Amino acid sequence: MDKATGSTVSPQEALIYAMVTLSAVDKQMTDRELRKIGDVVNTLPIFGGFDTDRLIKIAEACAAITREDDGLHAILATIATSLPKKLHETAYALAVEVAAADLHVEQEELRFLELLRDVLDVDSLTAAAIERGARARHRTL
């Protein structure tokens, strides 16, 4: 159980929290970001068996926490305590994918990625590889 928030969520919910928080941290969730979250949840094996009808409810719960005092840190703590170590890089990669969906990353999003990297203990070389891969996948002509 997370001491900062008093709760934990399932690993799938924690991954969704990482994506939703990245999208919302700059105060605007774009259609591209929302589509990317939906695509990720509908296609990646980590979400196999996940009830996609719950996605909106989970996103709303995440948003409610972010509006609380120190909500961002509570979300980060919940993500960290809810994910097994083997999914830390996955959470970071999914957040980067959502950030890259708009083809422009805002300062607030960069700061959130930095905080997420720190709380999940994703090393700088791994983070750079994840970020480079996302840039390559989202590059335009």
Side-chain angles (χ1 to χ4, degrees):
M1 182 175 284
D2 172 36
K3 293 176 182 166
T5 64
S7 66
T8 58
V9 296
S10 75
Q12 289 172 323
E13 290 170 324
L15 293 171
I16 292 167
Y17 275 25
M19 292 186 289
V20 167
T21 304
L22 181 284
S23 178
V25 77
D26 64 354
K27 306 294 187 233
Q28 62 181 67
M29 297 178 77
T30 67
D31 289 342
R32 281 184 161 189
E33 290 170 338
L34 295 173
R35 269 194 307 277
K36 176 55 82 175
I37 293 168
D39 290 347
V40 164
V41 171
N42 283 314
T43 60
L44 290 187
I46 194 73
F47 291 102
F50 178 77
D51 179 5
T52 56
D53 291 338
R54 295 181 50 231
L55 182 56
I56 292 173
K57 183 178 178 182
I58 293 166
E60 289 171 347
C62 177
I65 295 168
T66 63
R67 288 189 296 269
E68 297 173 3
D69 289 341
D70 208 25
L72 181 60
H73 288 96
I75 286 289
L76 288 164
T78 297
I79 292 168
T81 58
S82 299
L83 287 175
K85 178 86 172 127
K86 69 180 184 176
L87 293 181
H88 286 193
E89 292 171 358
T90 302
Y92 186 74
L94 295 182
V96 168
E97 280 298 310
V98 173
D102 284 336
L103 308 178
H104 175 75
V105 182
E106 299 292 338
Q107 282 302 117
E108 297 90 347
E109 293 170 327
L110 291 171
R111 179 67 181 136
F112 175 74
L113 287 172
E114 182 181 326
L115 293 170
L116 185 63
R117 205 171 40 239
D118 289 347
V119 76
L120 295 178
D121 198 27
V122 175
D123 69 82
S124 59
L125 287 178
T126 300
I130 290 168
E131 293 159 9
R132 177 74 179 193
R135 275 194 301 276
R137 282 188 299 284
H138 291 276
R139 188 159 285 137
T140 60
L141 290 176

